[in-house]
Amino acid sequence: MKELTHFIGGKHVKGTSGRFTDAYEPMTGDTVSKVPLASKEEVRAAVENAKAAQPGWAAVNPQRRARVFMKFLELAAKHNDELAEMLAREHGKTIPDAKGDIQRGIEVIEFCLGIPHLLKGEFTDSAGSNIDIYSMRQPLGVVAGITPFNFPAMIPLWKAGPAIACGNAFILKPSERDASVPLRLAELFLEAGLPPGIFNVVNGDKEAVDAILDDADIKAVGFVGSTPIAEYIYTRGCANGKRVQCFGGAKNHMVVMPDADMKQTVDALIGAGYGSAGERCMAISVAVPVGEDTANELIKHLIPRVESLKIGPSTDLAADYGPVVTKAALEKIKGYVDIGINEGAKLVVDGRGFKMQGYENGFYLGGCLFDNVTKDMRIYKEEIFGPVLSVLRAKTYNEALSLCNDHEYGNGVAIFTRDGDTARDFASKVQVGMVGVNLPIPVPLAYYTFGGWKRSGFGDLNQHGPDSIRFYTKTKTVTARWPSGIKEGANFSIPTMS
Ligand code: NAD
């Protein structure tokens, strides 16, 4: 069995804590690697390396930094197939979906190519007599990212790209479920010319996370994962005086209006609900048809589509989705299906009995579909994170809107309608961070920002786009007067424009 390492100071470093966890290949159920779980001392070693390397990197001018990113893009393209297969095998998603995971990360690296422009400050000529004011953005120093299992390329790149482009040194603590791709990305950055110590990877669990949160040399932490951990990291990181942004769980609704194109709606719902086995923070997990006729029509069209989903091993290019990440995740999702039945929801498609021929130990689950879900049920309130779609019937548009607004989570949401007024009203009033109109997974492109509302996000600034540059830099403002403009005599009052 392979033993993974940390990546510190540009080198693979074996774990020394003596603690390991197993990582699996979900499509076969085999244990494929041992992942070292870092101690506080190992985290500290990464911080020391990062701290030593950071001033040199910050002194490299932004255009030269961008050239390292250009080279990285070339290498990522050259190794795309290798990365996608590695990702699919370790995570469980299909190879085409793994390529999408990598691509959405690459798009943020492309955004970072504009770093000379993105870092430009402001300048006011003659703000007072012979006085100019200018502001500049400077790196924070050493910053960290803590990332989830479900996008092992995209989310590490969303964190590492802007952090490094801004001149920081970065420490990634990826998910212990699928750390191989993040390690490979750090290697490719080194090969692209990034100095050693600027992109470090420390594998680990709570012990490593706590060491990051308590280390005074780490100035900012970006987290993505489940809401309880997001809240914990936000609270502890802020208490330690760090800049922190945490993105948490989700329950994304799709409102289906009576005038929606039913074929387009069902196509969108099936992909967004079951793609990647529902293990996406932007997956649609609740469909809210408005009116009984819309609901009946939707269910009639959905049932055969869910029943005919093609589930396969991650290497099957024709599969709609692959296995879920671990046996524990599989059991948890099945447990939620049992809960839904006991709560009185109607399970109209039951995928629990699905077996993948030739892969009997893999972590597979057929698509499940619930009708007649109500808002007091746990399967509605909680995030299931699996191929389970709930249909909650609303009588009116206002009831559907209230459901979206009253839910604890506010990551993504969609409305399907042909009516411009309704779509506009929904986009304006819905209390959710990312909204799709006739589009089921409204993940904004890299030059906009990504982030949820309510308990899907903690902190002020979002991921990628202009917010990421603000998050990874601090602003300094300089007010300058040249000696020729200085009048004689001391002034003991606060300077004003009067
Ligand atoms: P998770 O919260 O279990 O783990 C995320 C990270 O936190 C991992 O690196 C993990 O090692 C670490 N961690 C886990 N338990 C910890 C603890 N007790 N103390 C400190 N650190 C701990 O999440 P996951 O299962 O890897 O990912 C799935 C979750 O991530 C879902 O809830 C999903 O909605 C969410 N997610 C959110 C977004 C978003 O942008 N909002 C994007 C992707 C995933």
Side-chain angles (χ1 to χ4, degrees):
M1 200 195 328
K2 196 170 57 172
E3 183 178 316
L4 300 191
T5 59
H6 308 298
F7 193 77
I8 299 176
K11 294 193 189 78
H12 285 279
V13 177
K14 270 175 86 98
T16 54
S17 69
R19 294 196 309 125
F20 291 90
T21 189
D22 289 339
Y24 310 98
E25 183 177 71
M27 72 176 190
T28 54
D30 293 346
T31 308
V32 287
S33 56
K34 271 170 69 169
V35 184
L37 301 174
S39 63
K40 197 174 165 185
E41 291 68 34
E42 289 169 291
V43 172
R44 189 61 213 160
V47 177
E48 291 290 353
N49 264 280
K51 206 177 155 187
Q54 191 268 333
W57 175 240
V60 173
N61 73 52
Q63 191 140 5
R64 284 182 191 273
R65 279 187 234 148
R67 286 186 192 138
V68 173
F69 280 58
M70 276 183 220
K71 183 70 188 164
F72 171 81
L73 289 174
E74 267 174 36
L75 292 170
K78 183 172 151 199
H79 294 281
N80 187 259
D81 287 342
E82 170 209 333
L83 285 166
E85 180 157 351
M86 184 187 275
L87 195 160
R89 283 184 179 275
E90 206 166 48
H91 173 283
K93 63 180 73 176
T94 62
I95 287 178
D97 197 25
K99 290 197 169 181
D101 183 332
I102 297 163
Q103 179 58 25
R104 287 310 291 247
I106 289 297
E107 288 167 12
V108 170
I109 301 301
E110 289 168 349
F111 167 75
C112 293
L113 296 180
I115 198 66
H117 175 69
L118 292 164
L119 282 179
K120 278 198 305 207
E122 297 156 319
F123 187 90
T124 304
D125 170 50
S126 300
S129 61
N130 291 306
I131 293 177
D132 302 328
I133 305 182
Y134 61 97
S135 67
M136 55 179 118
R137 296 198 165 276
Q138 295 191 325
L140 303 176
V142 180
V143 299
I146 301 164
T147 54
F149 81 83
N150 69 326
F151 281 99
M154 179 183 88
I155 296 178
L157 290 174
W158 283 10
K159 301 287 179 207
I164 293 172
C166 288
N168 299 287
F170 180 70
I171 297 174
L172 175 69
K173 205 305 283 170
S175 169
E176 57 275 45
R177 306 272 159 259
D178 43 18
S180 295
V181 167
L183 283 164
R184 189 76 185 105
L185 294 173
E187 281 177 354
L188 293 179
F189 259 109
L190 186 76
E191 195 180 330
L194 192 70
I198 299 301
F199 187 165
N200 305 281
V201 182
V202 174
N203 285 303
D205 56 4
K206 186 175 185 328
E207 187 172 331
V209 170
D210 286 348
I212 288 172
L213 294 174
D214 294 344
D215 196 304
D217 282 327
I218 296 180
K219 302 299 177 194
V221 176
F223 170 86
V224 181
S226 59
T227 287
I229 310 299
E231 190 168 26
Y232 166 74
I233 288 178
Y234 186 71
T235 309
R236 187 157 171 167
C238 289
N240 285 333
K242 296 186 197 313
R243 193 176 283 193
V244 190
Q245 56 168 201
C246 293
F247 302 91
K251 198 80 181 177
N252 306 314
H253 296 56
M254 184 202 276
V255 174
V256 184
M257 294 301 294
D259 64 353
D261 181 312
M262 194 48 77
K263 187 174 175 317
Q264 283 178 8
T265 304
V266 171
D267 279 345
L269 201 42
I270 206 89
Y274 298 94
S276 202
E279 291 176 319
R280 289 183 186 138
C281 69
M282 290 293 275
I284 294 288
S285 46
V286 187
V288 186
V290 174
E292 277 302 292
D293 290 349
T294 317
N296 293 338
E297 190 73 0
L298 183 70
I299 284 285
K300 188 179 93 190
H301 284 86
L302 268 177
I303 289 175
R305 295 291 295 272
V306 180
E307 285 173 341
S308 59
L309 280 166
K310 189 170 176 328
I311 299 140
S314 314
T315 47
D316 177 353
L317 297 183
D320 294 326
Y321 70 85
V324 298
V325 67
T326 55
K327 195 167 189 338
L330 180 64
E331 296 310 324
K332 182 174 162 205
I333 301 162
K334 284 183 174 170
Y336 267 113
V337 178
D338 295 340
I339 289 169
I341 295 167
N342 292 333
E343 287 177 314
K346 189 170 161 196
L347 184 65
V348 289
V349 182
D350 183 357
R352 285 172 300 170
F354 179 83
K355 288 268 171 297
M356 187 72 228
Q357 252 196 348
Y359 296 85
E360 280 72 14
N361 295 324
F363 313 136
Y364 297 93
L365 180 64
C368 297
L369 178 64
F370 275 114
D371 192 5
N372 300 117
V373 174
T374 57
K375 64 180 188 180
D376 52 316
M377 292 179 180
R378 277 184 63 193
I379 58 163
Y380 173 68
K381 292 197 275 196
E382 297 171 20
E383 183 180 44
I384 300 174
F385 223 55
V388 182
L389 179 66
S390 293
V391 175
L392 196 156
R393 295 165 176 243
K395 289 196 178 57
T396 61
Y397 162 72
N398 281 334
E399 185 188 340
L401 176 64
S402 298
L403 279 167
C404 304
N405 288 350
D406 294 346
H407 203 283
E408 145 179 39
Y409 295 121
N411 209 39
V413 73
I415 186 166
F416 274 62
T417 179
R418 288 189 173 105
D419 183 68
D421 265 353
T422 309
R424 186 172 184 276
D425 187 77
F426 185 79
S428 164
K429 292 185 179 155
V430 74
Q431 298 297 302
V432 174
M434 291 170 284
V435 184
V437 175
N438 296 320
L439 194 130
I441 306 188
V443 177
L445 290 179
Y447 44 94
Y448 281 83
T449 68
F450 178 109
W453 286 12
K454 297 182 277 184
R455 288 177 60 77
S456 293
F458 301 81
D460 304 322
L461 293 169
N462 279 345
Q463 308 190 81
H464 63 63
D467 271 12
S468 63
I469 306 302
R470 292 185 194 112
F471 183 75
Y472 289 115
T473 54
K474 51 194 172 189
T475 307
K476 184 180 280 174
T477 311
V478 180
T479 306
R481 180 162 62 179
W482 297 99
S484 61
I486 299 176
K487 291 195 188 103
E488 276 185 17
N491 182 359
F492 295 94
S493 306
I494 178 96
T496 68
M497 287 302 291
S498 60

